Amino acid sequence: MTGRLLLGQVELHPVVIPMTVRFRGVIRRRAILIEGPEGWGEFSPFSEYPPEVTARWLASALESACSPLPAPVRRTVPVNVTVPAIPSGAAGTLVAHSGCTTAKVKVAEPGQTEEDDLARVEAVRAALGPTGKIRVDANAGWDVATAIERITRLSAFGLEYVEQPVPTIPEMVKIRESVDVPIAADESVRTASDPLEAAEAGAADIYILKVQPLGGVGRTLALAAEVGLPVVVSSALETSVGMAAGVWAAACLPELSHACGLGTVTMLAEDVVDDRMIPKGGVIDVRRPVPHPELLARHRPDRGECDRMLARVNAAAELLT
C-alpha cells in the first residue's frame, strides 16, 4: 500500500513544542502526530532531511499508528541522562538530579573548546561517582587526528564508549584501530543506504539504533538481530508519542546490555500528553501514552507552518510504498 493511501486512513496533528535548551541547533521541535487504528505515531524528521530520508520516518509513524507492535519482554527500560553542550556546573547538577547511573555527554560542539568538553565530562564523572558510566557523543564533529587526541584525553574519566567521533566509515575504522575505548556508530547507521555497512567494515563495537530514522520498531528489531553487535536504542528528540516507540523497541529486545538513550523528553519544555515519558530512578516504563486534545490544540502552529509541515509528510509519502 502506498504512503498516500495510508495517509487517507489516519488523522494528522501538527505540533510545535518549545525546548528547554538548544540541542542540535533546535529550539522548537516540530512534529506531526498520526492517529490511526492501532494508536499514535510520530513524524518528526529534522528540517535538513530530504524526502529520501524522511520516508523512513513516515514509515515508522504509520507503523505505530496502523500496525500491531510485537509484545515486549520487559516492563521497564534503563536509560541514560543526556547532557547537552552546557557549562560544566550545569552538567553536574543535571546528572546529580537525574536518578540515572549512566550519562551521555555531548562534545565537539561548534564554537566550544577542548577544555569545555573536558570540564563537562569531569563534572559528570564527579556527579556520577566512580561506578557510573559515561558515554560521549561527538556527532561526527572531529577529524581523525583530533578524535584520537580528544578520546585519549577524555578516557582519563573512564568512558563506556564514544559515539560517532568522525563522519565516515573509513575514518571510524581508523579511530577504532587507534584507541582503546569502544566506538559506537550512529550517523553511520541511520543515514546509510546499507545500515549494516559500518559493522561489516569493522567500524563499530556498538550500534546506536533510532526507531524513526530506521523506519519503525519492526525494522529496528530486525537490524538488531542481524548486526551481531550490542545495540543501544536511542531517541531522535521526539515528543512522548515518538519516545514510546523507542521504549517499546528496547523492551522487545531479547538482550539489553546497555542503558538506552531514551530520556530526552525532559529537553522539551512542554509535551502533548499528561503522562510524559520521563524516566524515574533511571528507568522508563513501557507504555503508549495518548495525546490530550487540549495539548494538541495548544501546540498547533499557525496555518502557514501547518501547511509547510504537511507538505513534508506528503513528499515523504510519495516515496513510501
Side-chain angles (χ1 to χ4, degrees):
M1 183 175 289
T2 67
R4 281 286 196 177
L5 287 174
L6 282 171
L7 287 182
Q9 302 175 25
V10 298
E11 295 288 333
L12 305 181
H13 303 267
V15 295
V16 178
I17 309 290
M19 297 187 60
T20 60
V21 63
R22 180 183 293 271
F23 192 78
R24 286 192 44 148
V26 177
I27 57 173
R28 298 167 71 236
R29 193 70 177 100
R30 294 171 175 83
I32 290 184
L33 305 179
I34 299 179
E35 182 182 6
E38 292 291 336
W40 289 76
E42 177 171 328
F43 174 79
S44 53
F46 294 102
S47 60
E48 67 270 22
Y49 292 166
E52 293 77 12
V53 173
T54 64
R56 294 196 296 271
W57 295 62
L58 181 56
S60 175
L62 290 171
E63 176 198 55
S64 291
C66 301
S67 303
L69 297 179
V73 299
R74 56 184 62 84
R75 294 181 179 179
T76 62
V77 169
V79 299
N80 66 231
V81 55
T82 298
V83 182
I86 55 179
S88 59
T93 300
L94 173 63
V95 172
H97 292 147
S98 70
C100 298
T101 58
T102 299
K104 172 179 171 177
V105 185
K106 290 293 180 178
V107 294
E109 180 78 2
Q112 294 192 4
T113 67
E114 179 178 8
E115 298 309 314
D116 293 326
D117 290 345
L118 289 165
R120 188 178 308 116
V121 175
E122 182 178 18
V124 169
R125 171 52 69 201
L128 282 176
T131 61
K133 295 180 179 179
I134 297 176
R135 50 188 66 162
V136 300
D137 182 6
N139 284 120
W142 292 324
D143 58 37
V144 171
T146 301
I148 293 171
E149 189 267 337
R150 300 285 173 89
I151 293 169
T152 300
R153 291 194 69 187
L154 288 168
S155 65
F157 300 108
L159 299 181
E160 182 185 25
Y161 60 76
V162 177
E163 184 174 326
Q164 199 70 41
V166 288
T168 70
I169 288 175
E171 289 173 318
M172 292 274 283
V173 173
K174 290 181 182 178
I175 298 300
R176 188 165 175 254
E177 293 172 346
S178 302
V179 301
D180 294 329
V181 179
I183 302 300
D186 177 12
E187 285 87 346
S188 293
V189 178
R190 61 182 167 84
T191 63
S193 56
D194 177 7
L196 291 171
E197 183 181 356
E200 292 170 348
D205 301 283
I206 296 163
Y207 254 40
I208 308 299
L209 303 184
K210 298 181 177 180
V211 169
Q212 273 203 86
L214 290 174
V217 171
R219 292 186 182 184
T220 300
L221 295 176
L223 179 57
E226 190 173 2
V227 70
L229 294 174
V231 302
V232 175
V233 180
S234 293
S235 80
L237 203 60
E238 294 100 338
T239 73
S240 285
V241 171
M243 190 65 64
V247 172
W248 200 274
C252 292
L253 288 170
E255 306 245 343
L256 198 58
S257 56
H258 297 274
C260 292
L262 297 168
T264 57
V265 164
T266 55
M267 293 184 183
L268 302 180
E270 301 178 59
D271 210 331
V272 294
V273 306
D274 290 325
D275 187 14
R276 303 179 73 189
M277 296 290 287
I278 293 177
K280 297 176 182 178
V283 301
I284 193 164
D285 293 335
V286 180
R287 51 195 168 84
R288 298 186 67 185
V290 175
H292 194 289
E294 290 183 5
L295 294 174
L296 291 176
R298 179 190 305 173
H299 297 299
R300 186 176 179 88
D302 62 36
R303 177 67 179 272
E305 189 157 14
C306 273
D307 288 346
R308 290 189 291 273
M309 292 171 69
L310 292 170
R312 295 196 76 200
V313 177
N314 288 330
E318 293 288 352
L319 300 179
L320 189 63
T321 58

